[in-house]
PDB file of all heavy atoms in Angstrom:
ATOM      1  N   THR W 169    -118.609 -56.854 -71.640  1.00  0.00           N
ATOM      2  CA  THR W 169    -119.317 -57.243 -70.416  1.00  0.00           C
ATOM      3  C   THR W 169    -120.671 -56.549 -70.279  1.00  0.00           C
ATOM      4  O   THR W 169    -121.430 -56.864 -69.371  1.00  0.00           O
ATOM      5  CB  THR W 169    -118.507 -56.867 -69.156  1.00  0.00           C
ATOM      6  OG1 THR W 169    -118.432 -55.419 -69.081  1.00  0.00           O
ATOM      7  CG2 THR W 169    -117.103 -57.441 -69.193  1.00  0.00           C
ATOM      8  N   GLY W 170    -120.939 -55.579 -71.144  1.00  0.00           N
ATOM      9  CA  GLY W 170    -122.147 -54.785 -70.975  1.00  0.00           C
ATOM     10  C   GLY W 170    -121.930 -53.565 -70.095  1.00  0.00           C
ATOM     11  O   GLY W 170    -122.752 -52.653 -70.099  1.00  0.00           O
ATOM     12  N   PHE W 171    -120.820 -53.522 -69.335  1.00  0.00           N
ATOM     13  CA  PHE W 171    -120.462 -52.308 -68.599  1.00  0.00           C
ATOM     14  C   PHE W 171    -119.464 -51.537 -69.457  1.00  0.00           C
ATOM     15  O   PHE W 171    -118.498 -52.113 -69.969  1.00  0.00           O
ATOM     16  CB  PHE W 171    -119.872 -52.645 -67.225  1.00  0.00           C
ATOM     17  CG  PHE W 171    -120.868 -53.264 -66.290  1.00  0.00           C
ATOM     18  CD1 PHE W 171    -120.807 -54.617 -65.983  1.00  0.00           C
ATOM     19  CD2 PHE W 171    -121.879 -52.503 -65.723  1.00  0.00           C
ATOM     20  CE1 PHE W 171    -121.735 -55.201 -65.124  1.00  0.00           C
ATOM     21  CE2 PHE W 171    -122.812 -53.068 -64.868  1.00  0.00           C
ATOM     22  CZ  PHE W 171    -122.744 -54.425 -64.572  1.00  0.00           C
ATOM     23  N   HIS W 172    -119.691 -50.242 -69.593  1.00  0.00           N
ATOM     24  CA  HIS W 172    -118.990 -49.473 -70.617  1.00  0.00           C
ATOM     25  C   HIS W 172    -118.465 -48.157 -70.064  1.00  0.00           C
ATOM     26  O   HIS W 172    -119.188 -47.412 -69.406  1.00  0.00           O
ATOM     27  CB  HIS W 172    -119.977 -49.194 -71.766  1.00  0.00           C
ATOM     28  CG  HIS W 172    -119.380 -48.396 -72.879  1.00  0.00           C
ATOM     29  ND1 HIS W 172    -120.035 -47.334 -73.467  1.00  0.00           N
ATOM     30  CD2 HIS W 172    -118.184 -48.497 -73.499  1.00  0.00           C
ATOM     31  CE1 HIS W 172    -119.265 -46.826 -74.421  1.00  0.00           C
ATOM     32  NE2 HIS W 172    -118.148 -47.504 -74.456  1.00  0.00           N
ATOM     33  N   ASP W 173    -117.180 -47.898 -70.317  1.00  0.00           N
ATOM     34  CA  ASP W 173    -116.583 -46.612 -69.997  1.00  0.00           C
ATOM     35  C   ASP W 173    -115.648 -46.264 -71.148  1.00  0.00           C
ATOM     36  O   ASP W 173    -114.612 -46.906 -71.328  1.00  0.00           O
ATOM     37  CB  ASP W 173    -115.807 -46.697 -68.681  1.00  0.00           C
ATOM     38  CG  ASP W 173    -115.287 -45.333 -68.218  1.00  0.00           C
ATOM     39  OD1 ASP W 173    -115.102 -44.433 -69.067  1.00  0.00           O
ATOM     40  OD2 ASP W 173    -115.067 -45.171 -67.017  1.00  0.00           O
ATOM     41  N   PRO W 174    -115.993 -45.260 -71.958  1.00  0.00           N
ATOM     42  CA  PRO W 174    -115.187 -44.990 -73.146  1.00  0.00           C
ATOM     43  C   PRO W 174    -113.769 -44.548 -72.815  1.00  0.00           C
ATOM     44  O   PRO W 174    -112.859 -44.669 -73.653  1.00  0.00           O
ATOM     45  CB  PRO W 174    -115.961 -43.861 -73.846  1.00  0.00           C
ATOM     46  CG  PRO W 174    -116.838 -43.260 -72.805  1.00  0.00           C
ATOM     47  CD  PRO W 174    -117.144 -44.363 -71.831  1.00  0.00           C
ATOM     48  N   ARG W 175    -113.519 -44.037 -71.586  1.00  0.00           N
ATOM     49  CA  ARG W 175    -112.222 -43.473 -71.240  1.00  0.00           C
ATOM     50  C   ARG W 175    -111.192 -44.486 -70.790  1.00  0.00           C
ATOM     51  O   ARG W 175    -109.994 -44.214 -70.793  1.00  0.00           O
ATOM     52  CB  ARG W 175    -112.389 -42.464 -70.091  1.00  0.00           C
ATOM     53  CG  ARG W 175    -113.261 -41.293 -70.376  1.00  0.00           C
ATOM     54  CD  ARG W 175    -113.556 -40.591 -69.063  1.00  0.00           C
ATOM     55  NE  ARG W 175    -114.144 -41.520 -68.103  1.00  0.00           N
ATOM     56  CZ  ARG W 175    -114.119 -41.387 -66.784  1.00  0.00           C
ATOM     57  NH1 ARG W 175    -113.502 -40.345 -66.244  1.00  0.00           N
ATOM     58  NH2 ARG W 175    -114.686 -42.263 -65.990  1.00  0.00           N
ATOM     59  N   GLN W 176    -111.659 -45.660 -70.305  1.00  0.00           N
ATOM     60  CA  GLN W 176    -110.719 -46.523 -69.593  1.00  0.00           C
ATOM     61  C   GLN W 176    -111.307 -47.909 -69.375  1.00  0.00           C
ATOM     62  O   GLN W 176    -112.487 -48.146 -69.599  1.00  0.00           O
ATOM     63  CB  GLN W 176    -110.402 -45.907 -68.229  1.00  0.00           C
ATOM     64  CG  GLN W 176    -111.645 -45.762 -67.357  1.00  0.00           C
ATOM     65  CD  GLN W 176    -111.410 -44.894 -66.125  1.00  0.00           C
ATOM     66  OE1 GLN W 176    -110.283 -44.594 -65.765  1.00  0.00           O
ATOM     67  NE2 GLN W 176    -112.494 -44.477 -65.485  1.00  0.00           N
ATOM     68  N   HIS W 177    -110.443 -48.819 -68.916  1.00  0.00           N
ATOM     69  CA  HIS W 177    -110.841 -50.130 -68.418  1.00  0.00           C
ATOM     70  C   HIS W 177    -110.851 -50.028 -66.891  1.00  0.00           C
ATOM     71  O   HIS W 177    -109.798 -49.938 -66.259  1.00  0.00           O
ATOM     72  CB  HIS W 177    -109.845 -51.193 -68.903  1.00  0.00           C
ATOM     73  CG  HIS W 177    -110.040 -52.544 -68.282  1.00  0.00           C
ATOM     74  ND1 HIS W 177    -109.095 -53.540 -68.370  1.00  0.00           N
ATOM     75  CD2 HIS W 177    -111.062 -53.082 -67.576  1.00  0.00           C
ATOM     76  CE1 HIS W 177    -109.529 -54.624 -67.735  1.00  0.00           C
ATOM     77  NE2 HIS W 177    -110.712 -54.371 -67.240  1.00  0.00           N
ATOM     78  N   ALA W 178    -112.059 -50.007 -66.306  1.00  0.00           N
ATOM     79  CA  ALA W 178    -112.185 -49.886 -64.856  1.00  0.00           C
ATOM     80  C   ALA W 178    -112.746 -51.183 -64.293  1.00  0.00           C
ATOM     81  O   ALA W 178    -113.716 -51.726 -64.808  1.00  0.00           O
ATOM     82  CB  ALA W 178    -113.103 -48.714 -64.490  1.00  0.00           C
ATOM     83  N   VAL W 179    -112.103 -51.685 -63.238  1.00  0.00           N
ATOM     84  CA  VAL W 179    -112.610 -52.845 -62.503  1.00  0.00           C
ATOM     85  C   VAL W 179    -113.231 -52.300 -61.234  1.00  0.00           C
ATOM     86  O   VAL W 179    -112.534 -51.791 -60.355  1.00  0.00           O
ATOM     87  CB  VAL W 179    -111.480 -53.834 -62.184  1.00  0.00           C
ATOM     88  CG1 VAL W 179    -111.977 -54.954 -61.283  1.00  0.00           C
ATOM     89  CG2 VAL W 179    -110.897 -54.403 -63.473  1.00  0.00           C
ATOM     90  N   SER W 180    -114.564 -52.373 -61.145  1.00  0.00           N
ATOM     91  CA  SER W 180    -115.261 -51.695 -60.068  1.00  0.00           C
ATOM     92  C   SER W 180    -115.878 -52.687 -59.097  1.00  0.00           C
ATOM     93  O   SER W 180    -116.657 -53.557 -59.479  1.00  0.00           O
ATOM     94  CB  SER W 180    -116.349 -50.783 -60.639  1.00  0.00           C
ATOM     95  OG  SER W 180    -116.900 -50.006 -59.597  1.00  0.00           O
ATOM     96  N   LEU W 181    -115.506 -52.537 -57.829  1.00  0.00           N
ATOM     97  CA  LEU W 181    -116.093 -53.345 -56.758  1.00  0.00           C
ATOM     98  C   LEU W 181    -117.362 -52.643 -56.301  1.00  0.00           C
ATOM     99  O   LEU W 181    -117.319 -51.474 -55.921  1.00  0.00           O
ATOM    100  CB  LEU W 181    -115.105 -53.476 -55.600  1.00  0.00           C
ATOM    101  CG  LEU W 181    -113.690 -53.912 -55.993  1.00  0.00           C
ATOM    102  CD1 LEU W 181    -112.819 -54.089 -54.750  1.00  0.00           C
ATOM    103  CD2 LEU W 181    -113.732 -55.182 -56.810  1.00  0.00           C
ATOM    104  N   ALA W 182    -118.490 -53.347 -56.363  1.00  0.00           N
ATOM    105  CA  ALA W 182    -119.789 -52.704 -56.145  1.00  0.00           C
ATOM    106  C   ALA W 182    -120.414 -53.155 -54.832  1.00  0.00           C
ATOM    107  O   ALA W 182    -120.473 -54.353 -54.545  1.00  0.00           O
ATOM    108  CB  ALA W 182    -120.720 -53.033 -57.308  1.00  0.00           C
ATOM    109  N   TYR W 183    -120.878 -52.190 -54.057  1.00  0.00           N
ATOM    110  CA  TYR W 183    -121.446 -52.428 -52.728  1.00  0.00           C
ATOM    111  C   TYR W 183    -122.803 -51.739 -52.600  1.00  0.00           C
ATOM    112  O   TYR W 183    -123.020 -50.670 -53.175  1.00  0.00           O
ATOM    113  CB  TYR W 183    -120.515 -51.870 -51.645  1.00  0.00           C
ATOM    114  CG  TYR W 183    -119.136 -52.490 -51.653  1.00  0.00           C
ATOM    115  CD1 TYR W 183    -118.116 -51.960 -52.446  1.00  0.00           C
ATOM    116  CD2 TYR W 183    -118.860 -53.621 -50.900  1.00  0.00           C
ATOM    117  CE1 TYR W 183    -116.854 -52.548 -52.477  1.00  0.00           C
ATOM    118  CE2 TYR W 183    -117.600 -54.208 -50.934  1.00  0.00           C
ATOM    119  CZ  TYR W 183    -116.607 -53.668 -51.721  1.00  0.00           C
ATOM    120  OH  TYR W 183    -115.370 -54.254 -51.764  1.00  0.00           O
ATOM    121  N   VAL W 184    -123.677 -52.352 -51.818  1.00  0.00           N
ATOM    122  CA  VAL W 184    -124.922 -51.712 -51.404  1.00  0.00           C
ATOM    123  C   VAL W 184    -124.643 -51.010 -50.080  1.00  0.00           C
ATOM    124  O   VAL W 184    -124.126 -51.635 -49.152  1.00  0.00           O
ATOM    125  CB  VAL W 184    -126.039 -52.762 -51.231  1.00  0.00           C
ATOM    126  CG1 VAL W 184    -127.281 -52.133 -50.615  1.00  0.00           C
ATOM    127  CG2 VAL W 184    -126.367 -53.409 -52.576  1.00  0.00           C
ATOM    128  N   VAL W 185    -124.957 -49.718 -49.984  1.00  0.00           N
ATOM    129  CA  VAL W 185    -124.630 -48.954 -48.777  1.00  0.00           C
ATOM    130  C   VAL W 185    -125.887 -48.287 -48.225  1.00  0.00           C
ATOM    131  O   VAL W 185    -126.386 -47.306 -48.796  1.00  0.00           O
ATOM    132  CB  VAL W 185    -123.549 -47.892 -49.069  1.00  0.00           C
ATOM    133  CG1 VAL W 185    -123.201 -47.130 -47.788  1.00  0.00           C
ATOM    134  CG2 VAL W 185    -122.294 -48.539 -49.651  1.00  0.00           C
ATOM    135  N   PRO W 186    -126.405 -48.801 -47.092  1.00  0.00           N
ATOM    136  CA  PRO W 186    -127.533 -48.121 -46.443  1.00  0.00           C
ATOM    137  C   PRO W 186    -127.118 -46.729 -45.959  1.00  0.00           C
ATOM    138  O   PRO W 186    -126.018 -46.557 -45.419  1.00  0.00           O
ATOM    139  CB  PRO W 186    -127.873 -49.043 -45.264  1.00  0.00           C
ATOM    140  CG  PRO W 186    -127.337 -50.389 -45.661  1.00  0.00           C
ATOM    141  CD  PRO W 186    -126.092 -50.089 -46.445  1.00  0.00           C
ATOM    142  N   ILE W 187    -127.992 -45.770 -46.182  1.00  0.00           N
ATOM    143  CA  ILE W 187    -127.755 -44.376 -45.789  1.00  0.00           C
ATOM    144  C   ILE W 187    -128.734 -44.041 -44.666  1.00  0.00           C
ATOM    145  O   ILE W 187    -129.948 -44.094 -44.861  1.00  0.00           O
ATOM    146  CB  ILE W 187    -127.996 -43.430 -46.989  1.00  0.00           C
ATOM    147  CG1 ILE W 187    -127.064 -43.810 -48.155  1.00  0.00           C
ATOM    148  CG2 ILE W 187    -127.837 -41.966 -46.595  1.00  0.00           C
ATOM    149  CD1 ILE W 187    -125.601 -43.569 -47.917  1.00  0.00           C
ATOM    150  N   ASP W 188    -128.191 -43.701 -43.484  1.00  0.00           N
ATOM    151  CA  ASP W 188    -129.054 -43.420 -42.336  1.00  0.00           C
ATOM    152  C   ASP W 188    -129.349 -41.937 -42.157  1.00  0.00           C
ATOM    153  O   ASP W 188    -130.338 -41.574 -41.521  1.00  0.00           O
ATOM    154  CB  ASP W 188    -128.356 -43.896 -41.047  1.00  0.00           C
ATOM    155  CG  ASP W 188    -128.412 -45.387 -40.875  1.00  0.00           C
ATOM    156  OD1 ASP W 188    -129.009 -46.065 -41.722  1.00  0.00           O
ATOM    157  OD2 ASP W 188    -127.855 -45.885 -39.877  1.00  0.00           O
ATOM    158  N   GLY W 189    -128.465 -41.068 -42.659  1.00  0.00           N
ATOM    159  CA  GLY W 189    -128.545 -39.654 -42.317  1.00  0.00           C
ATOM    160  C   GLY W 189    -129.204 -38.817 -43.389  1.00  0.00           C
ATOM    161  O   GLY W 189    -130.002 -39.303 -44.202  1.00  0.00           O
ATOM    162  N   ASP W 190    -128.853 -37.523 -43.359  1.00  0.00           N
ATOM    163  CA  ASP W 190    -129.434 -36.564 -44.284  1.00  0.00           C
ATOM    164  C   ASP W 190    -128.470 -36.307 -45.438  1.00  0.00           C
ATOM    165  O   ASP W 190    -127.286 -36.081 -45.230  1.00  0.00           O
ATOM    166  CB  ASP W 190    -129.709 -35.241 -43.557  1.00  0.00           C
ATOM    167  CG  ASP W 190    -130.744 -35.429 -42.469  1.00  0.00           C
ATOM    168  OD1 ASP W 190    -131.704 -36.203 -42.693  1.00  0.00           O
ATOM    169  OD2 ASP W 190    -130.573 -34.829 -41.398  1.00  0.00           O
ATOM    170  N   VAL W 191    -129.036 -36.301 -46.626  1.00  0.00           N
ATOM    171  CA  VAL W 191    -128.222 -36.139 -47.826  1.00  0.00           C
ATOM    172  C   VAL W 191    -128.252 -34.692 -48.289  1.00  0.00           C
ATOM    173  O   VAL W 191    -129.308 -34.066 -48.358  1.00  0.00           O
ATOM    174  CB  VAL W 191    -128.742 -37.065 -48.950  1.00  0.00           C
ATOM    175  CG1 VAL W 191    -128.061 -36.751 -50.268  1.00  0.00           C
ATOM    176  CG2 VAL W 191    -128.548 -38.522 -48.562  1.00  0.00           C
ATOM    177  N   GLU W 192    -127.059 -34.148 -48.559  1.00  0.00           N
ATOM    178  CA  GLU W 192    -126.927 -32.839 -49.213  1.00  0.00           C
ATOM    179  C   GLU W 192    -126.019 -33.047 -50.404  1.00  0.00           C
ATOM    180  O   GLU W 192    -124.808 -33.171 -50.236  1.00  0.00           O
ATOM    181  CB  GLU W 192    -126.223 -31.828 -48.304  1.00  0.00           C
ATOM    182  CG  GLU W 192    -127.032 -31.232 -47.223  1.00  0.00           C
ATOM    183  CD  GLU W 192    -126.149 -30.262 -46.416  1.00  0.00           C
ATOM    184  OE1 GLU W 192    -125.617 -29.295 -47.015  1.00  0.00           O
ATOM    185  OE2 GLU W 192    -125.978 -30.499 -45.225  1.00  0.00           O
ATOM    186  N   VAL W 193    -126.589 -33.069 -51.585  1.00  0.00           N
ATOM    187  CA  VAL W 193    -125.737 -33.348 -52.726  1.00  0.00           C
ATOM    188  C   VAL W 193    -124.787 -32.184 -52.949  1.00  0.00           C
ATOM    189  O   VAL W 193    -125.085 -31.033 -52.624  1.00  0.00           O
ATOM    190  CB  VAL W 193    -126.530 -33.618 -54.020  1.00  0.00           C
ATOM    191  CG1 VAL W 193    -127.359 -34.874 -53.880  1.00  0.00           C
ATOM    192  CG2 VAL W 193    -127.356 -32.432 -54.413  1.00  0.00           C
ATOM    193  N   SER W 194    -123.629 -32.509 -53.474  1.00  0.00           N
ATOM    194  CA  SER W 194    -122.628 -31.481 -53.724  1.00  0.00           C
ATOM    195  C   SER W 194    -121.923 -31.845 -55.020  1.00  0.00           C
ATOM    196  O   SER W 194    -122.295 -32.794 -55.697  1.00  0.00           O
ATOM    197  CB  SER W 194    -121.651 -31.423 -52.552  1.00  0.00           C
ATOM    198  OG  SER W 194    -121.095 -32.694 -52.336  1.00  0.00           O
ATOM    199  N   GLY W 195    -120.921 -31.087 -55.361  1.00  0.00           N
ATOM    200  CA  GLY W 195    -120.192 -31.360 -56.583  1.00  0.00           C
ATOM    201  C   GLY W 195    -121.092 -31.189 -57.793  1.00  0.00           C
ATOM    202  O   GLY W 195    -121.883 -30.237 -57.885  1.00  0.00           O
ATOM    203  N   SER W 196    -121.001 -32.131 -58.706  1.00  0.00           N
ATOM    204  CA  SER W 196    -121.664 -31.963 -59.991  1.00  0.00           C
ATOM    205  C   SER W 196    -123.114 -32.434 -60.003  1.00  0.00           C
ATOM    206  O   SER W 196    -123.810 -32.273 -61.005  1.00  0.00           O
ATOM    207  CB  SER W 196    -120.886 -32.738 -61.060  1.00  0.00           C
ATOM    208  OG  SER W 196    -120.828 -34.101 -60.701  1.00  0.00           O
ATOM    209  N   ALA W 197    -123.584 -33.011 -58.902  1.00  0.00           N
ATOM    210  CA  ALA W 197    -124.951 -33.538 -58.894  1.00  0.00           C
ATOM    211  C   ALA W 197    -125.956 -32.447 -58.559  1.00  0.00           C
ATOM    212  O   ALA W 197    -125.677 -31.543 -57.783  1.00  0.00           O
ATOM    213  CB  ALA W 197    -125.070 -34.679 -57.900  1.00  0.00           C
ATOM    214  N   LEU W 198    -127.131 -32.531 -59.168  1.00  0.00           N
ATOM    215  CA  LEU W 198    -128.210 -31.595 -58.894  1.00  0.00           C
ATOM    216  C   LEU W 198    -129.019 -32.034 -57.693  1.00  0.00           C
ATOM    217  O   LEU W 198    -129.542 -31.224 -56.930  1.00  0.00           O
ATOM    218  CB  LEU W 198    -129.163 -31.521 -60.095  1.00  0.00           C
ATOM    219  CG  LEU W 198    -128.571 -31.119 -61.432  1.00  0.00           C
ATOM    220  CD1 LEU W 198    -129.634 -31.222 -62.514  1.00  0.00           C
ATOM    221  CD2 LEU W 198    -128.027 -29.698 -61.335  1.00  0.00           C
ATOM    222  N   ASP W 199    -129.152 -33.347 -57.535  1.00  0.00           N
ATOM    223  CA  ASP W 199    -130.055 -33.858 -56.512  1.00  0.00           C
ATOM    224  C   ASP W 199    -129.813 -35.355 -56.364  1.00  0.00           C
ATOM    225  O   ASP W 199    -129.155 -35.986 -57.200  1.00  0.00           O
ATOM    226  CB  ASP W 199    -131.512 -33.622 -56.943  1.00  0.00           C
ATOM    227  CG  ASP W 199    -132.479 -33.679 -55.759  1.00  0.00           C
ATOM    228  OD1 ASP W 199    -132.029 -33.877 -54.613  1.00  0.00           O
ATOM    229  OD2 ASP W 199    -133.689 -33.509 -56.003  1.00  0.00           O
ATOM    230  N   LEU W 200    -130.322 -35.905 -55.264  1.00  0.00           N
ATOM    231  CA  LEU W 200    -130.377 -37.355 -55.118  1.00  0.00           C
ATOM    232  C   LEU W 200    -131.853 -37.714 -55.044  1.00  0.00           C
ATOM    233  O   LEU W 200    -132.575 -37.231 -54.164  1.00  0.00           O
ATOM    234  CB  LEU W 200    -129.666 -37.817 -53.849  1.00  0.00           C
ATOM    235  CG  LEU W 200    -129.652 -39.342 -53.662  1.00  0.00           C
ATOM    236  CD1 LEU W 200    -128.487 -39.966 -54.428  1.00  0.00           C
ATOM    237  CD2 LEU W 200    -129.543 -39.713 -52.184  1.00  0.00           C
ATOM    238  N   ALA W 201    -132.292 -38.561 -55.968  1.00  0.00           N
ATOM    239  CA  ALA W 201    -133.693 -38.976 -55.978  1.00  0.00           C
ATOM    240  C   ALA W 201    -133.810 -40.351 -55.333  1.00  0.00           C
ATOM    241  O   ALA W 201    -133.102 -41.284 -55.722  1.00  0.00           O
ATOM    242  CB  ALA W 201    -134.213 -39.032 -57.415  1.00  0.00           C
ATOM    243  N   TRP W 202    -134.682 -40.455 -54.324  1.00  0.00           N
ATOM    244  CA  TRP W 202    -134.961 -41.759 -53.716  1.00  0.00           C
ATOM    245  C   TRP W 202    -136.132 -42.380 -54.457  1.00  0.00           C
ATOM    246  O   TRP W 202    -137.228 -41.832 -54.439  1.00  0.00           O
ATOM    247  CB  TRP W 202    -135.299 -41.605 -52.233  1.00  0.00           C
ATOM    248  CG  TRP W 202    -134.143 -41.185 -51.372  1.00  0.00           C
ATOM    249  CD1 TRP W 202    -133.968 -39.973 -50.779  1.00  0.00           C
ATOM    250  CD2 TRP W 202    -133.012 -41.983 -51.000  1.00  0.00           C
ATOM    251  NE1 TRP W 202    -132.798 -39.957 -50.057  1.00  0.00           N
ATOM    252  CE2 TRP W 202    -132.181 -41.177 -50.169  1.00  0.00           C
ATOM    253  CE3 TRP W 202    -132.596 -43.292 -51.288  1.00  0.00           C
ATOM    254  CZ2 TRP W 202    -130.977 -41.640 -49.629  1.00  0.00           C
ATOM    255  CZ3 TRP W 202    -131.400 -43.751 -50.740  1.00  0.00           C
ATOM    256  CH2 TRP W 202    -130.611 -42.928 -49.920  1.00  0.00           C
TER     257      TRP W 202
END
Side-chain angles (χ1 to χ4, degrees):
Chain W
T169 66
F171 293 107
H172 179 225
D173 186 336
R175 299 167 304 157
Q176 61 192 346
H177 171 194
V179 173
S180 187
L181 310 183
Y183 300 88
V184 172
V185 181
I187 301 292
D188 284 358
D190 296 322
V191 171
E192 282 179 59
V193 296
S194 55
S196 59
L198 302 175
D199 200 1
L200 182 85
W202 291 109

